[in-house]
Amino acid sequence: MTEAYPLPSHLSPATVANTASLLRIVALALISGAAIASRLFAVVNFESIIHEFDPWFNYRATKVLASQGFYEFWNWFDPTAWYPLGRVVGGTIYPGLMATSGVIYNFLHALNLPVDIRNVCVLLAPGFSALTAWATYMFTKELKDESAGLLAAAFIGIVPGYISRSVAGSYDNEAIAIFLLMFTFFSWIKALKQGSAFFGTIAAVFYFYMVAAWGGYVFITNMIPLHALVLLLMGRFTSRLYVAYSSWYAIGTLASMQVPFVGFQPVRTSEHMAALGVFGLLQIVAFAQLVRAHLSSKQFQNLLFVSVIAAGILGALGIVGATYKGWIAPWTGRFYSLWDTGYAKKYIPIIASVSEHQPTAWPSFFMDLHFLMFLFPAGVILCFREFRDEHLFVIIYSLMASYFAGVMVRLMLTLTPVVCVSAAVALSTLLDTYLDPKEPDTANDSNNESDAGTVASNGASTSAATSSSKKTKKDKEKVAQAPAGGALGNLVTGVASSAVAAKKGEKAFAAKGIFGLDTRFAVLINVLGMLFFFVVHSTWVTSNAYSSPSVVLASHNPDGSQNIIDDFREAYYWLRQNTAETAVVMSWWDYGYQIAGMADRPTLVDNNTWNNTHIATVGKAMSSSEEVAYPILRKHDVDYVLVIFGGLVGYSGDDINKFLWMVRIAQGVWPDEIQEPNYFTATGEYRVDDQASHAMKNSLMYKMSYYRFAELFGGSQAQDRVRGQIMPQTGPTLDCLGAYYFDYSSFLQVLMRFRAEEAFTSENWIVRIYEVKKEDLLGRDLKSANAFEQGKKRKRTKPLSRRKAIV
Amino acid sequence: MAGPKSSKPASSATTEAVSSLWKSYTEQTPDRLKFIDAFLVFIILSGVTQFLYCVLVTNFPFNAFLAGFSSSVGQFVLTASLRSQVNPENRSEFKEVSPERAFADFALGSIVLHFFVYNFLG
């Protein structure tokens, strides 16, 4: 027996095992540390602040929970959202996230640690990412071994695809949901392996937590039944499968109905029917197995024939009856858009208008997963080699998740864990093969068989670099009896042929195995290089792309120093300080949660897009002329209108760029009054300069965005930086919203990132707020009143003070 | 094959199969499993009664019906799981689950199940 490098042989197996387990614990602790630390870029670069849009609502709800208690939160009716309709918050949210923070908050306060609820919310996602790493470790350990588990934990800890949804401050449902997803899957695998109702119950409880936390629970609801069904069809039914699935489904389904937002859906909607169907099927199969144990095969076939026909007729009648009676609701729009990517755009523009519901662009796979992306298929193929039940699960999971990730950007999140798991399996198999010190024995045919077994054991042996030669000897004996797996080189030939090859003689196996140290180093250095670049890439992507709060914007000066653009918070703070508490603010729905969270003012629409008509009303007001919009605004008691305008600083996520969606959504409800083609020029271009169409120029959104924009440039050409178009010298006039009330212009010296305008000085008008004028006291229409005022103004030399114009 | 001629021998073969099934069951099954089976039959009867009540009379407090029915279904599958776990014939499949552990699992599962049932009764 030759070895490529010597291993210490005087260590007892117990020492090796203890050291390995200590190292594993230390490694897991370090991985958790890395996972948390890399998510803190957002806090270090900016501050401890809640990010984006939805987290602001979650944060607001959590504040209610923390300050007023759980029952108040549960029964919370929010009259300020969806003015004048209001929103029953308790029944229309997934409360898992808020409940988790509430528990942590109360726990810390019980320990006399007066932590602010905001910090709990900000740091929740990084904390749970450490738990996700642990759950992924456990999951991968079931597939292969501990070393693969550690690799998977390290991958999921820093992979950008998961970080994108879990940086500090990204206080959204996904923050805890991925941990729950992985842990539910782990419990399911464990339950299936052992046939244990205990792990089935654990899976059900975590499934319940997942249902309470994220709408993506439907993924679990369909993944586990699909796995069970495939096992059934492959003839792999065992009593273990019955125990695991039945205990999970019976408890999990009942538990999921406790969440008010889910309600009776698990027995009423089509998305959940697959789970129910597989449950029924398993009962039948289990009963058939029981019967078969007591009968001869001839009699069993007779009985089976009769009962299959009876069951078929009954099942068909049941489904037809239930659909006819309307007990089972049809599929929802979001579901259809998963299969037909054009569906949403045609029928439900509100779903298509969300950028994270768009199909994924190819570069983002590399951006989010880096080299895991090309190890992923290798790992899936390796799963085919052992092909136990849990490997089948990973294969199905990767197929489903790959498809979904291609359809919707946000579902990249569900793909990421399985990519990490299977990439870890692939990489760990590679490392096992090349770290194993055993040299293949070339010229010895007396112990032919056992050596072939040794070569074959390279890949499957659990020994990492730390384990001693004694352990590998043990492995050798084991594997020689039953050659379970082969080395990486056997991949194509597979297990069966390697066993055959072992019997054929020296020639067949002599070629297999790793010779010498040079080959080992060549591969290992490459692997280390890839891992290194993965870390560099992840760090770079995290710090540059995924850590922006998007409430606070940053730009870089030519000298590299950072410039913070804080228009949003200034504007919301202005609203909070200078307007009446009941003043209704109208904006596009994207900003609803932020206005409610930061400005604490009633809004017409927000990111909980449950009422399409209400959103379309806002869209109509924004996209029609002042004369049409004004009655709408007055009827909805709107006091202020808020628009986001990026034309000055080149902030591309502004309302003019979203404007076409407002038009489309409004068109869906009022096809006679709003037509999308009217907003394009005659040549079909989307322009905002002097060639803009009539409808465009007269729309409220256009006027509010560009009101007095040209004046800012003091006679020189006014340029819209986002769209790169030259604005006309005379900007639009506003009659009904007349009072140009507030423009947050911070007069920052923003040195633009673009080299051409390096020294350009501008103010950033990102948020513009207008007050809606009340009806004229003299009963005139506002246009003539305005004209009269202006006429008066022209005669006078002194300009009219603003305050008078407001009244 | 589904003609009127073949139906009669098929049905007689079926009744024969059923009777031999019953005979084999009563002779071969250990008493402990028969005890569990009796409980299973009771649960089925309770579930069927609730279902018939729901279909024929009213499903009005639908959550109460769901809770009661789920309690039957859940208890049934948990008991059936226990039955297959303690079945000596399945010893090879459940290497890690001893009969004692199976009962502990059963008890835990039932407690969790009935916690949710109680919560859902309304």
Side-chain angles (χ1 to χ4, degrees):
Chain A
M1 168 104 192
T2 53
E3 288 185 344
Y5 54 92
L7 287 177
S9 55
H10 57 278
L11 296 172
S12 74
T15 318
V16 172
N18 288 341
T19 317
S21 96
L22 176 69
L23 281 177
R24 275 199 294 275
I25 292 170
V26 171
L28 265 180
L30 288 176
I31 287 168
S32 305
I36 294 173
S38 66
R39 283 163 173 80
L40 296 183
F41 272 119
V43 174
V44 174
N45 287 352
F46 295 93
E47 61 188 287
S48 173
I49 185 184
I50 303 291
H51 289 190
E52 295 194 316
F53 306 108
D54 286 16
W56 275 100
F57 170 74
N58 298 333
Y59 172 54
R60 184 160 159 252
T62 312
K63 275 200 291 193
V64 171
L65 173 64
S67 60
Q68 300 177 28
F70 192 73
Y71 283 102
E72 277 301 307
F73 168 68
W74 203 242
N75 297 322
W76 182 25
F77 176 80
D78 183 7
T80 65
W82 295 89
Y83 186 87
L85 305 172
R87 175 185 176 191
V88 185
V89 178
T92 56
I93 51 161
Y94 293 104
L97 182 76
M98 298 90 184
T100 309
S101 327
V103 167
I104 295 174
Y105 175 80
N106 287 324
F107 175 74
L108 291 175
H109 277 247
L111 293 179
N112 290 322
L113 289 171
V115 180
D116 185 19
I117 185 73
R118 179 174 53 97
N119 287 321
V120 174
C121 295
V122 166
L123 295 176
L124 190 76
F128 266 83
S129 74
L131 288 175
T132 309
W134 173 73
T136 311
Y137 166 76
M138 301 294 277
F139 183 84
T140 317
K141 204 176 82 174
E142 295 300 319
L143 281 179
K144 192 172 173 289
D145 53 23
E146 284 88 353
S147 47
L150 282 180
L151 274 175
F155 289 158
I156 194 94
I158 59 170
V159 68
Y162 175 40
I163 286 189
S164 66
R165 293 319 199 89
S166 62
V167 292
S170 171
Y171 180 58
D172 212 344
N173 294 334
E174 289 92 334
I176 62 171
I178 296 301
F179 162 65
L180 299 172
L181 183 84
M182 285 318 281
F183 201 82
T184 310
F185 284 159
F186 161 70
S187 320
W188 160 247
I189 292 291
K190 197 85 181 163
L192 185 62
K193 257 182 149 176
Q194 295 191 353
S196 143
F198 171 71
F199 277 105
T201 310
I202 296 284
V205 169
F206 272 85
Y207 173 69
F208 165 63
Y209 194 0
M210 176 79 178
V211 175
W214 192 35
Y217 76 88
V218 181
F219 184 62
I220 302 183
T221 318
N222 288 296
M223 260 309 295
I224 292 181
L226 187 63
H227 183 211
L229 184 67
V230 172
L231 285 175
L232 210 59
L233 292 180
M234 287 173 67
R236 288 193 177 197
F237 175 82
T238 56
S239 302
R240 293 195 303 271
L241 175 64
Y242 176 82
V243 172
Y245 189 83
S246 300
S247 53
W248 167 74
Y249 182 77
I251 300 177
T253 305
L254 179 63
S256 68
M257 287 190 280
Q258 315 297 314
V259 180
F261 193 31
V262 176
F264 299 138
Q265 278 181 37
V267 290
R268 282 268 166 91
T269 60
S270 304
E271 285 98 327
H272 299 78
M273 280 303 127
L276 183 62
V278 172
F279 179 69
L281 199 62
L282 272 178
Q283 306 304 319
I284 294 171
V285 173
F287 186 68
Q289 293 276 343
L290 180 73
V291 170
R292 192 165 72 177
H294 290 289
L295 280 180
S296 68
S297 66
K298 176 74 175 63
Q299 286 171 320
F300 178 68
Q301 273 173 355
N302 268 337
L303 209 58
L304 192 68
F305 182 67
V306 173
S307 54
V308 159
I309 289 177
I313 292 172
L314 269 181
L317 278 180
I319 290 173
V320 168
T323 319
Y324 178 73
K325 284 257 189 177
W327 286 339
I328 302 175
W331 308 99
T332 56
R334 259 172 236 255
F335 181 81
Y336 278 127
S337 62
L338 274 183
W339 306 104
D340 176 7
T341 44
Y343 180 88
K345 199 171 176 183
K346 258 180 276 169
Y347 301 104
I348 349 168
I350 189 99
I351 291 181
S353 76
V354 181
S355 65
E356 60 185 25
H357 290 166
Q358 304 293 328
T360 316
W362 281 110
S364 65
F365 279 99
F366 184 77
M367 172 102 161
D368 279 357
L369 302 167
H370 196 244
F371 87 120
L372 304 179
M373 201 57 229
F374 51 81
L375 281 180
F376 169 49
V380 174
I381 288 175
L382 283 173
C383 284
F384 272 104
R385 282 176 60 224
E386 287 190 57
F387 215 49
R388 295 195 302 268
D389 294 350
E390 57 267 31
H391 295 103
L392 188 66
F393 182 78
V394 171
I395 292 164
I396 298 171
Y397 182 4
S398 35
L399 282 178
M400 299 302 288
S402 304
Y403 175 76
F404 290 139
V407 173
M408 265 193 208
V409 176
R410 69 182 296 193
L411 293 181
M412 186 69 113
L413 191 65
T414 53
L415 175 68
T416 306
V418 75
V419 167
C420 290
V421 167
S422 48
V425 168
L427 200 66
S428 143
T429 310
L430 185 78
L431 286 177
D432 283 349
T433 310
Y434 282 87
L435 283 176
D436 195 337
K438 278 193 301 300
E439 292 273 325
D441 221 349
T442 41
N444 191 356
D445 58 354
S446 62
N447 55 353
N448 197 346
E449 295 231 343
S450 71
D451 272 330
T454 315
V455 175
S457 78
N458 283 353
S461 88
T462 53
S463 62
T466 48
S467 60
S468 73
S469 61
K470 281 190 182 175
K471 202 180 167 193
T472 31
K473 266 180 202 161
K474 256 190 214 162
D475 273 358
K476 175 189 138 194
E477 286 163 13
K478 258 189 239 160
V479 177
Q481 289 161 0
L488 198 67
N490 299 5
L491 197 63
V492 185
T493 49
V495 183
S497 61
S498 78
V500 173
K503 280 168 194 160
K504 271 189 192 168
E506 309 98 297
K507 265 196 176 177
F509 74 86
K512 287 172 189 162
I514 318 297
F515 292 92
L517 282 174
D518 49 351
T519 47
R520 288 185 163 84
F521 274 120
V523 171
L524 291 180
I525 285 173
N526 265 307
V527 168
L528 284 181
M530 285 202 293
L531 289 173
F532 177 73
F533 279 116
F534 174 62
V535 172
V536 171
H537 172 86
S538 301
T539 316
W540 181 80
V541 170
T542 306
S543 65
N544 281 292
Y546 289 145
S547 291
S548 167
S550 87
V551 176
V552 182
L553 307 168
S555 64
H556 288 280
N557 296 332
D559 62 354
S561 62
Q562 203 178 37
N563 200 344
I564 299 286
I565 301 174
D566 207 358
D567 285 29
F568 286 99
R569 282 196 294 175
E570 292 274 1
Y572 294 139
Y573 192 67
W574 181 90
L575 271 180
R576 182 188 273 267
Q577 295 294 313
N578 295 285
T579 62
E581 225 168 279
T582 51
V584 178
V585 181
M586 181 178 96
S587 70
W588 189 234
W589 61 264
D590 296 21
Y591 312 104
Y593 279 165
Q594 289 187 347
I595 294 171
M598 287 189 257
D600 196 22
R601 292 291 171 269
T603 56
L604 249 57
V605 289
D606 62 31
N607 310 45
N608 173 263
T609 51
W610 64 276
N611 189 330
N612 192 40
T613 317
H614 216 51
I615 291 178
T617 308
V618 173
K620 185 185 173 191
M622 293 289 197
S623 50
S624 41
S625 63
E626 274 186 89
E627 290 77 24
V628 180
Y630 184 69
I632 300 177
L633 300 184
R634 292 296 300 151
K635 275 179 195 161
H636 287 85
D637 296 346
V638 174
D639 295 305
Y640 296 92
V641 184
L642 179 149
V643 292
I644 305 296
F645 174 63
L648 195 61
V649 284
Y651 172 63
S652 62
D654 68 350
D655 276 347
I656 292 286
N657 275 0
K658 291 172 184 168
F659 187 44
L660 282 179
W661 286 110
M662 304 182 202
V663 174
R664 279 175 202 145
I665 290 168
Q667 187 183 3
V669 179
W670 292 280
D672 299 334
E673 296 172 59
I674 311 281
Q675 277 108 21
E676 191 183 343
N678 294 346
Y679 293 84
F680 292 105
T681 60
T683 51
E685 286 172 283
Y686 183 61
R687 297 192 76 97
V688 292
D689 54 9
D690 47 7
Q691 293 172 39
S693 70
H694 181 72
M696 181 78 190
K697 274 186 171 169
N698 279 308
S699 67
L700 198 63
M701 174 55 71
Y702 180 88
K703 286 186 167 185
M704 286 192 296
S705 291
Y706 293 108
Y707 183 63
R708 293 185 64 186
F709 181 62
E711 286 174 32
L712 190 70
F713 291 82
S716 63
Q717 277 187 329
Q719 197 199 16
D720 183 322
R721 288 180 177 285
V722 175
R723 286 145 291 262
Q725 294 171 10
I726 307 291
M727 299 307 299
Q729 281 295 339
T730 48
T733 53
L734 279 168
D735 292 314
C736 303
L737 296 168
Y740 157 61
Y741 200 84
F742 170 80
D743 257 321
Y744 176 68
S745 35
S746 62
F747 295 96
L748 276 180
Q749 302 274 311
V750 176
L751 298 168
M752 299 306 298
R753 258 188 271 189
F754 312 109
R755 219 161 19 108
E757 293 110 16
E758 237 173 12
F760 185 79
T761 311
S762 82
E763 317 148 29
N764 34 347
W765 287 11
I766 290 184
V767 184
R768 308 192 76 184
I769 300 169
Y770 294 86
E771 182 172 18
V772 180
K773 278 188 191 169
K774 302 286 176 279
E775 276 85 356
D776 187 53
L777 289 173
L778 299 175
R780 301 167 295 183
D781 67 288
L782 286 165
K783 194 164 188 174
S784 53
N786 207 28
F788 179 71
E789 298 260 322
Q790 277 172 355
K792 216 160 98 182
K793 192 168 116 188
R794 220 169 279 143
K795 275 173 205 162
R796 279 192 191 175
T797 45
K798 210 169 61 178
L800 201 74
S801 81
R802 254 183 215 163
R803 198 167 292 167
K804 268 185 185 168
I806 300 155
V807 181
Chain B
M1 63 182 282
K5 273 186 254 170
S6 64
S7 73
K8 196 160 189 192
S11 68
S12 71
T14 309
T15 45
E16 189 189 319
V18 169
S19 62
S20 73
L21 169 68
W22 179 249
K23 195 163 163 253
S24 150
Y25 171 77
T26 43
E27 282 168 8
Q28 289 175 12
T29 314
D31 282 348
R32 288 169 95 181
L33 292 189
K34 277 186 190 161
F35 180 60
I36 294 179
D37 286 341
F39 185 44
L40 286 176
V41 170
F42 165 72
I43 294 171
I44 290 176
L45 287 179
S46 131
V48 166
T49 315
Q50 292 180 52
F51 191 75
L52 286 179
Y53 180 83
C54 169
V55 171
L56 297 176
V57 184
T58 176
N59 70 354
F60 165 54
F62 191 53
N63 55 331
F65 161 69
L66 277 180
F69 193 64
S70 311
S71 146
S72 295
V73 172
Q75 197 59 61
F76 177 83
V77 295
L78 285 173
T79 318
S81 301
L82 176 70
R83 186 193 191 281
S84 68
Q85 281 168 334
V86 299
N87 194 344
E89 289 168 24
N90 290 342
R91 202 58 272 163
S92 59
E93 270 194 44
F94 295 100
K95 291 192 190 78
E96 302 188 40
V97 183
S98 63
E100 291 77 18
R101 161 136 187 229
F103 187 75
D105 285 2
F106 168 75
L108 177 83
S110 305
I111 290 169
V112 173
L113 175 76
H114 282 93
F115 168 74
F116 287 120
V117 167
Y118 182 72
N119 189 41
F120 206 40
L121 276 175

